[in-house]
């Protein structure tokens, strides 16, 4: 991604987790809105272990999003404070031709790069599924 004003390029790193959290305003002189909980910490770990221009998500998040989004399994990674976790890459919307993080043109390492999976995980468990190998 590059800025229009300066032309400086940078790579976004994103992580998403799903689960319970607590939120509130903290402080009297300089109030701040804060969000707390294990879900927030897990999302931060998803971001810190991701690679540029990819959105890494948890297994629970995958279960929720798989019906409407294309998702590729990254594999098991070690996450500080959590141990071994199964993670996935969020690729794009199933109803759109757009790839939300330029997945097929991204040659970075990070597990299953260049592959797009079709079908949901539950469908894959029930039948043989195909993978399209990207360039």
């Amino acid at each position: 991604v590059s800025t229009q004003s300066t032309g400086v390029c940078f790579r976004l790193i994103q992580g998403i987790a799903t689960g319970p959290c607590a939120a509130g305003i903290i402080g009297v002189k300089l109030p701040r809105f804060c969000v707390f909980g294990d879900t927030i910490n897990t999302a931060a770990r998803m971001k810190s272990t991701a690679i540029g221009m990819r959105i890494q998500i948890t297994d629970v998040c995958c279960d929720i999003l798989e019906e409407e989004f294309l998702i590729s399994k990254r594999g098991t990674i070690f996450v500080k404070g959590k141990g071994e976790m199964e993670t996935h890459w969020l690729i794009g919307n199933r109803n759109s031709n757009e790839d939300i993080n330029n997945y097929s043109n991204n040659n970075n390492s990070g597990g299953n790069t260049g592959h797009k999976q079709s079908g949901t995980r539950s469908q894959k468990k029930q039948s043989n599924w195909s993978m399209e190998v990207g360039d």
Side-chain angles (χ1 to χ4, degrees), residues 55-102:
I55 302 172
Q56 183 172 225
I57 63 174
T58 62
D59 215 22
V60 174
C61 200
C62 177
D63 291 339
I64 293 169
L65 298 177
E66 69 182 349
E67 296 296 324
E68 294 188 36
F69 291 89
L70 295 170
I71 295 170
S72 176
K73 183 176 179 178
R74 177 180 187 182
T76 303
I77 62 167
F78 179 80
V79 178
K80 182 180 173 184
K82 304 292 283 180
E84 298 288 321
M85 286 185 72
E86 197 72 29
T87 64
H88 308 268
W89 299 120
L90 180 60
I91 307 303
N93 191 319
R94 287 187 182 277
N95 300 324
S96 171
N97 290 332
E98 283 187 47
D99 184 339
I100 61 174
N101 46 25
N102 202 16

Side-chain angles (χ1 to χ4, degrees), residues 66 69-71 94 117-124 129-130:
E66 69 182 349
F69 291 89
L70 295 170
I71 295 170
R94 287 187 182 277
Q117 298 178 355
S118 59
T120 64
R121 288 195 313 169
S122 57
Q123 290 169 336
K124 292 172 198 161
W129 54 277
S130 64

Side-chain angles (χ1 to χ4, degrees), residues 6-81:
T6 64
V8 174
C9 291
F10 59 94
R11 297 175 69 79
L12 296 175
I13 300 173
Q14 302 173 48
I16 301 174
T18 304
C21 65
I25 309 250
I26 306 298
V28 177
K29 288 185 179 182
L30 185 61
R32 296 174 189 243
F33 182 78
C34 295
V35 185
F36 306 94
D38 187 55
T39 303
I40 308 309
N41 295 334
T42 303
R45 298 294 186 206
M46 291 296 100
K47 179 190 76 85
S48 67
T49 57
I51 58 175
M53 303 308 290
R54 296 279 181 95
I55 302 172
Q56 183 172 225
I57 63 174
T58 62
D59 215 22
V60 174
C61 200
C62 177
D63 291 339
I64 293 169
L65 298 177
E66 69 182 349
E67 296 296 324
E68 294 188 36
F69 291 89
L70 295 170
I71 295 170
S72 176
K73 183 176 179 178
R74 177 180 187 182
T76 303
I77 62 167
F78 179 80
V79 178
K80 182 180 173 184

